[in-house]
Amino acid sequence: MTVLRKLREIPYLASYSHRGAYYTLRSVAQFDARGLWSHGAVRFSKFGTLIDTVAELVIRSNSGQLVSELVAELQVEVKQPLLNLVRAGRLAREEFGGLYLYTAPDAKRRRQQRLARQATYVAKPFGPIVAGAAAPPDEVKAAIVLFLSTLDEKQRRLFAGLESLRVGRGGDRRIADLTGMDVHTIARGRHELETRDLQLDRIRRPGGGRRSLEKETPQLIGAIEKLLIHDTAGDPITGLKWTRRTTRKIAKELARGGIRVPGNTVARILHSLGFSLRVNHKKLARRSPPNRDRQFRHIARLRDVFQRRGLPVLSVDTKKKELVGQFKSPGAIWAMAPTLVNDHDFRSDALGIAVPYGIFDIVANRGHVVLGTSHDTPAFAVDCLVDWWTRHGRSRYPDADRLLLLADNGGSNGSRCRAWKLNLQRRFCDRFGVAVTLAHYPPGASKWNPIEHRLFSEISKNWAGRPLDSHETMLKYLRTTSTATGLKVTATLSRRVYATGEVVSALDMQKLHLRPTRFMPVWNYSLFPRPASE
């Protein structure tokens, strides 16, 4: 311990060989251009430890380093230090010509080293090295393997046969050792060149290759059809078929009958028999209401009338409720690393819940979202409309005495919801003296509500792939939602607590100034302001 304490007071270096058991002073070491120095069998580096030395040599190299090159240079084993450096992200590794090439971690520098290595391989001729007596170095072997990988089967065979002819006696074995090819393949290529027996328009001779399992086992197709006879459905129009059995299960059943085939062969045969992988398609619509199309035409006429008069046309709905916290959000974003979120979406782990209620001004192409923290109730929905009117509607439509609301048929603003109509009368119509005309979309047609595809879809795109970890984060994404067509969105936060289960009596309903239309009065009606005396 005394010696080590003294060494800390002077500039010294520990050897990178012999596990750092030897020491020297920096003033004594005479480093070469690579930063290395040896005293007998003991080796030192100005970079310090073996790991730091390996990292510096690889990063400073013009064309990266192979393991064999580093071993020859450092005279110690470097495989484990290289693996540790790659795992730590200090070096990069890629397969190059059948060997691992170690390069700098920086993408730009790594590309420069790879291009320099490729240029080195192209510049070196193979012929003299193949024909010479000395064994070629690893980098030349890698270069030959890299070159052969660019050829097809026939070209590789003929090239190897040509090189064998150049080497002469024992050339087949020499080329096989150098390239890793089978010696019989090289001999066949050499024989084709000597006899000029070449198939110029084919890679293999006719009939070459292994016979297909269907030909070797003619009963295979019949066995598969027999297995699927009770598990097959199909489309009589297109002829497509599908089965509930997987290829793995079919192969297992065939194996029990003595026919052994892999699952991918079963898949190929199923395709030839007209089967196809299919997913569920949402195309079976429920029974439509009899006046569905007429209601759509009625809504279109109302929109035209209100727009011509310069009156507001609003589409309203509640977006999907969101858990606030580190929860997975559908979608993907460009990032250097993934964002870590909770592995389960438990309500108990949430900081709260967010209820986005949207109001979309169709004429102005403007959206307003109120982010609630309580329940999606009729009172909350009407308060959101009040918030929009006081912040934007009153100033945007100063002369408006009436507005049109387009809403779904269910939920907090449903056509049969008494609390929705009562709160709309009390909190909006009576308060501001503005009449409201309601038109509800038919059941099952909520996707035709303009707010769905013109506002909510853009909001979902804007915060896709980003955890909604706080209400402030959600407000930020809501307020930054925009489109090339001019959509702008405003958003506010409502922390008011709303009670559920509001009961509205028949007497309260009688007091409403509600005027249903002759056509589908349940879906279409208007509410008018009541006199102050009422």
Side-chain angles (χ1 to χ4, degrees), residues 21 39 65 99 185 227 266 342 375 412 449 468:
H39 181 73
Q65 294 276 13
L99 298 173
T185 301
L227 280 174
V266 174
N342 298 338
H375 300 284
S412 58
N449 197 345
L468 305 176

Side-chain angles (χ1 to χ4, degrees), residues 8-176:
R8 292 192 188 100
E9 300 175 2
I10 57 177
Y12 78 97
L13 285 173
S15 62
Y16 68 78
S17 64
H18 300 83
R19 298 189 177 184
Y22 294 90
Y23 302 91
T24 186
L25 299 176
R26 287 187 178 271
S27 58
V28 174
Q30 299 178 4
F31 297 111
D32 58 17
R34 300 167 300 171
L36 305 178
W37 177 67
S38 62
H39 181 73
V42 183
R43 303 185 180 279
F44 297 89
S45 165
K46 71 176 183 180
F47 307 115
T49 64
L50 177 60
I51 284 186
D52 292 336
T53 301
V54 170
E56 286 295 328
L57 291 179
V58 171
I59 292 173
R60 295 184 179 205
S61 171
N62 290 330
S63 56
Q65 294 276 13
L66 300 172
V67 174
S68 59
E69 296 171 344
L70 287 169
V71 171
E73 196 167 5
L74 298 175
Q75 295 298 308
V76 294
E77 183 59 45
V78 296
K79 192 169 288 187
Q80 191 59 44
L82 282 169
L83 289 175
N84 293 338
L85 287 166
V86 171
R87 289 169 183 162
R90 295 178 60 185
L91 291 181
R93 183 178 78 169
E94 59 184 271
E95 193 169 342
F96 193 89
L99 298 173
Y100 280 123
L101 177 67
Y102 293 86
T103 58
D106 178 68
K108 183 178 180 181
R109 175 64 175 158
R110 182 166 68 247
R111 183 173 180 274
Q112 293 173 348
Q113 291 177 323
R114 185 171 63 251
L115 292 175
R117 175 71 58 165
Q118 290 174 345
T120 302
Y121 282 174
V122 173
K124 290 188 177 181
F126 296 162
I129 297 175
V130 173
D138 286 344
E139 66 175 21
V140 176
K141 287 185 179 181
I144 294 176
V145 172
L146 177 64
F147 168 70
L148 291 177
S149 67
T150 65
L151 308 178
D152 62 31
E153 178 184 327
K154 176 182 177 182
Q155 292 167 340
R156 282 195 300 272
R157 185 174 68 246
L158 294 178
F159 173 77
L162 177 63
E163 291 298 319
S164 176
L165 287 172
R166 292 177 59 191
V167 173
R169 183 178 179 82
D172 293 351
R173 175 56 59 187
R174 288 287 306 279
I175 299 300

Side-chain angles (χ1 to χ4, degrees), residues 309-312 389 393-403 433-434:
R309 295 179 181 178
L311 299 174
W389 180 257
R394 194 157 42 187
S395 58
R396 191 177 298 161
Y397 303 97
D399 299 326
D401 59 352
R402 191 169 187 163
L403 59 84
V434 177

